[in-house]
Structure formats: C-alpha cells, structure tokens
C-alpha cells in the first residue's frame, strides 16, 4: 500500500472519529437505550471504527511465516523485520495528519475547522503528483 493511501485511510479514521465521539456521548446519556454503554451489541457495529482500523492494519501489515524450529529470539527478529516497515508507514501517516491539525490549531485560525482541514488534506493526497 502506497504512503498516500495510508494517509488517506488515516484521514478517514480521524474524520470518522468525530462522529464516533458524538455517538458515544449520546449513548452515555442513556444507559437503557440500544447502543448505550451496557449494550453488548454496540461493539460490533460499524460506528465503532474497529472494522475500519482493522481493515487498515490488515492491508498494511504483511503476511509472513516463522519457521517452526526458530528460537524465540529468531521469531522475534522475523516479526520485527516483517512488521517494522508497516509500523513506520502507519506512524508516518498519523504523524503527518496530526502535525497538520496541530499547525492549524497553533495558528489560531478560526476560518477552518479540523474536519475541513482533513477534507482538504484528503483531496490533496488523492490528486496525482504534479511533474515540475
């Protein structure tokens, strides 16, 4: 998966998180309503974000095998070697988006919301690179 695709997915997760927070706030007001904190069926719904996050992780992390005769240290090295590029890709994507949001916040601008910035970032990331 290309880095710009990972950034777009991170933006999608962060954009959706505002709705997850609003939904959680509404549900916490009433523990008797379906989907409230005591509703065990709420965890599996798409609104929780678990599916979207799990899907991103499944796409970014490679499949690999560790030899059955590998020592624990060899197995740990194999896992680290296979997973490190994906971890760095995810950290890079979320760090980039966070830094853009932090810069907006620190600038004191009130003419654009964080959701608008995320939408603008998504549009920029989805455009093909321009040859100069």
């Amino acid at each position: 998966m290309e880095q710009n695709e990972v950034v777009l997915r991170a933006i999608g997760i962060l954009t959706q998180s505002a709705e997850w927070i609003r939904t959680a706030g509404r549900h916490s007001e009433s523990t008797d309503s379906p989907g409230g904190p005591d509703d065990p069926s709420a965890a599996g719904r798409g609104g929780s974000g678990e599916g979207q996050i799990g899907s991103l992780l499944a796409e970014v992390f490679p499949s690999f095998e560790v030899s059955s005769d590998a020592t624990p240290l060899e197995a740990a090295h194999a896992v680290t070697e296979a997973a490190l590029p994906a971890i760095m890709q995810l950290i890079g994507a979320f760090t980039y988006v966070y830094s853009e949001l932090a810069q907006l916040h620190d600038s004191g601008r009130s003419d654009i919301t964080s959701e608008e910035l995320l939408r603008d970032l998504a549009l920029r990331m989805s455009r093909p690179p321009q040859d100069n």
Side-chain angles (χ1 to χ4, degrees):
M1 181 176 267
E2 296 294 321
Q3 185 64 24
N4 67 323
E5 295 172 298
V6 177
V7 171
L8 284 169
R9 298 285 294 277
I11 290 168
I13 289 168
L14 293 172
T15 300
Q16 187 63 41
S17 69
E19 181 59 31
W20 299 331
I21 291 168
R22 283 191 292 271
T23 300
R26 284 193 303 266
H27 291 307
S28 67
E29 293 172 4
S30 171
T31 58
D32 295 332
S33 67
D38 298 327
D39 181 0
S41 67
R45 294 190 188 134
S48 70
E50 293 171 7
Q52 199 175 21
I53 294 168
S55 174
L56 174 61
L57 293 175
E59 290 180 43
V60 171
F61 280 92
S63 296
F64 62 92
E65 293 185 21
V66 176
S67 172
S68 60
D69 62 343
T71 67
L73 183 59
E74 291 169 335
H77 284 296
V79 170
T80 301
E81 186 176 315
L84 190 58
I87 292 169
M88 296 304 292
Q89 194 175 33
L90 287 168
I91 289 171
F94 279 95
T95 301
Y96 169 72
V97 177
Y98 173 82
S99 68
E100 291 291 314
L101 288 167
Q103 186 176 21
L104 174 69
H105 176 270
D106 292 349
S107 72
R109 288 182 57 188
S110 60
D111 61 320
I112 184 170
T113 67
S114 59
E115 288 182 35
E116 291 168 336
L117 174 67
L118 290 171
R119 192 176 316 114
D120 180 62
L121 284 174
L123 289 171
R124 284 191 279 159
M125 295 303 294
S126 62
R127 288 186 196 123
Q130 299 292 322
D131 292 333
N132 293 335

